[in-house]
Amino acid sequence: MKFWGDDVLKQSAIGLGLIYLTLGALGLAIGLGYPMGSVARMGPGFLPIVVSSLLLAFAAISIFKGLAAGRPQLPSVQLLAKGAAPVMTVVISVVTFAAVCRVLGLFPSTLLLILMSATASPEFALKPKPIAGAVIVAGTFSYIFVKLLGLPLPYINMPG
Amino acid sequence: MYYVDNVVLGLSTALSLGNLLYCFLGVFLGTAIGVLPGLGPVATIAMLLPITYGLDPTTALIMLAGIYYGAQYGGSTTAILINLPGESSAVVATLDGHQMARNGRAGVALATAAIGSFVAGTIATGVIVLFAPILAGFAIQFGAAEYFALMVLGLIASVVLATGSLFHALAMILIGILLGFVGIDVNSGLARYSFGSMQLSDGIDFVVIAMGVFGLGEIMANIHEQSKQITTQKVTSLWPTREDYRRMWKPILRGTGIGSVLGVLPGGGALLSAFAAYSIEKRVSPNRAEFGHGAIEGIAAPESANNAGAQTSFIPMLTLGIPSNAVMAMMVGALIIQGIQPGPSVITENPTLFWGLIASMWIGNLMLVVLNLPLVGMWAKLATIPYYFLFPAILMFCCVGVFSLENNNFGIFLMAGFGLFGYALKRLGAEPAPLLLAFILGPMLEEYFRRALLISRGDLSVFVTSPISATLLAVAAILIVIVLLPGVTQKREVVFKED
């Protein structure tokens, strides 16, 4: 354990600082709307305000530290941009699953999730064999979840 | 008599057919998932946690504990056979374990790991039986101020002993506490940070955070890594020779001792235990020249230590309600879901749960040995499944698991968001485990803090006038100061560099 951490962390100090800044500012802005109370009888806003303020202090220190390091802070952006496409593919496939699982039923949604997310990997290709595998996995597990474990979702919703 | 009665109670609970079955199921699933690379014990437990909601608390905990040490053990199996640690604490097993496998002694390495783990598990279970009730008896007199101080110490110590940056770990703790505020405030009934959403006013489920940050985040970080060309070493004879036994027994006992002590410490547990045991063994062993080339001591000591550490990390969780690492934080979360307030009263109010869980740990360890040695071939095969096939299936389990929490798709959206958040943290080099710990402890931390100040009529000195609270907070402060002293940090670096 070092206080500042390794080189990656030193380079990403601004990036992390901005994350702290966002969360701390959001926490403080909303927290100020709650009754503060006194130290003896704390209102619901007391600790959120304290914790958000502390986080803002951490944000300031982290950003200052990053700026003081003098190095170009591109790495933060680069670090995040590297591999952004597959990451977004995973996020989109999960969000799609959430959006359609009630409408389409578990089996088609799971199949969609598996096939969509698999395209995030450079090694996956939409060929008959992997598709068949995805159908089998989605079909079998959806059946287990819905029919045997009683998950309250339709197995498959026929259109119309 | 106290011990005899309770051990009998524990054994009779653990040996009931249902509990045996779930213990076996936990150990089996844990090993299977532990074998798979890129899915650590936290994500594993998060994924399987919804299954345990319908069970009674004792059975649920028995199964979760089985998953934990199953995952621990599975990780080492693949580390030895194919040089692929299933999770972080198994990295040590690749050093000498895999070398032994390459020397044609894979079976012996696996058997050594199994024997070491079992001996360590047995001794560590004994340690829990002896010391947990004493610790709980001590903590039962704690008031609100003492509890607050204890939790602060637990959080600080857990990050001081971990790797990475203390500064950013403290920031993670703050974020975790902040996330813990989301939902209805118990004292005022006000829904905080709910953005007008019904679902958010119930608070964020810790499973959603764990799966998002540790499951999805992990997948996103691993996805563009090409799958490695894997060659499985053949397993021939399992049985160690007389010479092997002679060389392994001392390292096993030393490893067990180190693991038992380090497991109890906040931030300790399996990972730290394994690394510490390996580096100490490397120093004291008469065969230190062989280390790194397949020394049996190099597998016996860390494997015993990691299992002992995994077991004794239950002590602070069960007796004080303080999780020493992210896995134990999940256990605390599971207890709360089951309606049990974690803390020193668990042992007196739920003796069946407490003693049943402990007895089941020993039985589970026995199962591991029986389960693993004959199934080694199957586990090795499982680990060679290509990642592009694996992660969509993991995503499926995560999505369905989160849906089943509230039978609602809202959690899946949240999980996707936390996945992105976890990925960003990982890429930027920050370790998210303290966030989860603080998120689970946060509400309790706030409650004790408010209660302590209510009782003291707003006098903040209450935290330093109570000798217990003052001591605990002082230790927390000293730990931070130690990290700030450059000399100590460098020494620690050296210890770990040698691994």
Side-chain angles (χ1 to χ4, degrees):
Chain A
M1 170 63 67
K2 285 191 232 170
F3 191 71
W4 289 111
D6 56 13
D7 290 339
V8 178
L9 274 170
K10 280 175 194 150
Q11 287 178 38
S12 54
I14 292 187
L16 284 168
L18 289 176
I19 294 181
Y20 306 158
L21 179 71
T22 316
L23 293 171
L26 194 68
L28 187 63
I30 299 176
L32 283 172
Y34 302 139
M36 178 96 177
S38 65
V39 178
R41 288 196 170 273
M42 277 178 216
F46 194 94
L47 281 173
I49 291 170
V50 172
V51 173
S52 306
S53 310
L54 278 173
L55 192 56
L56 284 175
F58 272 74
I61 296 171
S62 192
I63 293 171
F64 177 76
K65 182 83 187 168
L67 291 175
R71 252 171 297 183
Q73 283 292 318
L74 266 180
S76 255
V77 182
Q78 276 173 358
L79 282 171
L80 288 178
K82 187 186 156 212
V87 167
M88 286 326 287
T89 311
V90 171
V91 172
I92 292 169
S93 49
V94 169
V95 169
T96 310
F97 173 89
V100 300
C101 62
R102 277 192 200 283
V103 189
L104 295 181
L106 190 61
F107 175 32
S109 324
T110 317
L111 186 61
L112 206 59
L113 170 70
I114 292 178
L115 289 177
M116 272 176 80
S117 61
T119 58
S121 165
E123 291 170 46
F124 176 80
L126 268 175
K127 284 187 187 147
K129 220 171 139 189
I131 293 178
V135 172
I136 293 169
V137 170
T140 316
F141 280 102
S142 304
Y143 189 86
I144 295 175
F145 290 134
V146 175
K147 306 284 179 186
L148 304 182
L149 298 175
L151 194 75
L153 276 177
Y155 182 62
I156 187 162
N157 253 358
M158 288 300 175
Chain B
M1 260 340 261
Y2 173 78
Y3 287 113
V4 177
D5 287 347
N6 285 308
V7 169
V8 169
L9 169 69
L11 281 173
S12 64
T13 310
L15 286 172
S16 78
L17 192 62
N19 286 340
L20 269 182
L21 195 73
Y22 279 103
C23 180
F24 173 78
L25 200 65
V27 166
F28 183 81
L29 289 175
T31 312
I33 301 183
V35 160
L36 303 172
L39 205 61
V42 179
T44 307
I45 291 175
M47 245 165 71
L48 298 175
L49 198 65
I51 304 179
T52 67
Y53 285 0
L55 305 174
D56 78 73
T58 308
T59 316
L61 258 274
I62 285 178
M63 182 171 170
L64 290 171
I67 294 170
Y68 178 39
Y69 42 79
Q72 213 64 258
Y73 193 93
S76 331
T77 304
T78 50
I80 292 171
L81 280 181
I82 49 185
N83 206 17
L84 208 63
E87 39 91 32
S88 50
S89 72
V91 172
V92 191
T94 60
L95 300 172
D96 277 280
H98 186 63
Q99 284 304 321
M100 281 181 77
R102 294 180 67 155
N103 299 344
R105 284 163 48 83
V108 180
L110 288 168
T112 307
I115 296 167
S117 294
F118 181 70
V119 173
T122 307
I123 296 176
T125 308
V127 171
I128 301 179
V129 169
L130 283 179
F131 291 106
I134 300 172
L135 202 57
F138 173 66
I140 204 108
Q141 321 154 17
F142 281 19
E146 285 83 4
Y147 261 115
F148 173 77
L150 182 67
M151 288 187 178
V152 170
L153 173 62
L155 279 173
I156 300 290
S158 74
V159 298
V160 166
L161 282 173
T163 52
S165 149
L166 179 62
F167 176 81
H168 293 291
L170 293 174
M172 289 303 137
I173 289 181
L174 290 174
I175 296 177
I177 296 176
L178 201 56
L179 288 169
F181 288 139
V182 176
I184 305 252
D185 168 44
V186 280
N187 293 306
S188 62
L190 184 78
R192 293 186 290 190
Y193 299 105
S194 68
F195 299 94
S197 145
M198 270 301 285
Q199 276 97 3
L200 274 184
S201 63
D202 284 341
I204 304 171
D205 199 303
F206 72 102
V207 174
V208 171
I209 296 191
M211 271 201 216
V213 174
F214 292 89
L216 251 59
E218 195 75 37
I219 287 177
M220 293 170 181
N222 288 336
I223 215 158
H224 35 256
E225 274 173 26
Q226 297 279 323
S227 46
K228 293 168 196 131
Q229 218 47 43
I230 291 162
T231 43
T232 311
Q233 303 293 330
K234 264 187 100 156
V235 180
T236 44
S237 164
L238 278 174
W239 298 111
T241 62
R242 189 182 289 265
E243 168 72 5
D244 289 333
Y245 282 119
R246 198 188 56 75
R247 279 177 60 176
M248 78 166 80
W249 72 270
K250 273 187 194 161
I252 286 179
L253 291 181
R254 274 195 289 262
T256 305
I258 293 163
S260 301
V261 173
L262 290 182
V264 183
L265 297 180
L271 177 66
L272 186 70
S273 306
F275 272 97
Y278 186 85
S279 50
I280 290 176
E281 200 57 41
K282 205 170 158 185
R283 231 158 263 203
V284 301
S285 171
N287 303 311
R288 66 187 76 113
E290 274 181 54
F291 272 67
H293 306 285
I296 198 164
E297 292 89 346
I299 185 85
E303 280 306 292
S304 315
N306 108 21
N307 208 35
Q311 308 276 353
T312 56
S313 59
F314 276 89
I315 294 181
M317 194 281 284
L318 283 171
T319 57
L320 307 174
I322 302 288
S324 53
N325 53 43
V327 173
M328 288 303 130
M330 301 295 291
M331 300 280 175
V332 170
L335 277 179
I336 295 173
I337 285 174
Q338 295 279 0
I340 293 172
Q341 178 64 35
S345 55
V346 170
I347 197 168
T348 43
E349 281 171 21
N350 296 287
T352 346
L353 178 132
F354 184 85
W355 296 101
L357 177 62
I358 291 175
S360 87
M361 286 179 181
W362 187 75
I363 295 166
N365 273 291
L366 195 62
M367 282 184 189
L368 271 178
V369 177
V370 179
L371 182 68
N372 276 288
L373 292 180
L375 293 182
V376 151
M378 190 183 97
W379 298 135
K381 217 167 229 127
L382 199 59
T384 56
I385 296 178
Y387 197 61
Y388 70 83
F389 200 85
L390 209 58
F391 80 81
I394 298 172
L395 286 180
M396 171 182 78
F397 282 110
C398 289
C399 286
V400 172
V402 167
F403 181 90
S404 73
L405 294 174
E406 305 266 336
N407 289 327
N408 196 309
N409 55 1
F410 179 75
I412 308 180
F413 290 118
L414 261 186
M415 175 181 72
F418 278 110
L420 214 49
F421 182 59
Y423 169 78
L425 294 181
K426 199 150 278 195
R427 271 274 162 258
L428 295 174
E431 169 56 54
L435 186 155
L436 186 66
L437 238 70
F439 174 77
I440 288 178
L441 285 183
M444 288 187 260
L445 204 62
E446 180 181 17
E447 183 53 33
Y448 287 123
F449 187 68
R450 281 162 92 160
R451 204 184 295 166
L453 286 172
L454 186 66
I455 296 166
S456 77
R457 294 168 202 279
D459 182 5
L460 279 163
S461 68
V462 63
F463 296 108
V464 285
T465 46
S466 143
I468 296 173
S469 159
T471 313
L472 294 171
L473 288 175
V475 174
I478 291 169
L479 285 175
I480 294 186
V481 171
I482 287 176
V483 177
L484 286 167
L485 295 175
V488 184
T489 318
Q490 272 160 18
K491 226 173 224 159
R492 263 190 59 101
E493 296 291 301
V494 173
V495 171
F496 284 91
K497 275 258 162 62
E498 282 182 13
D499 293 323

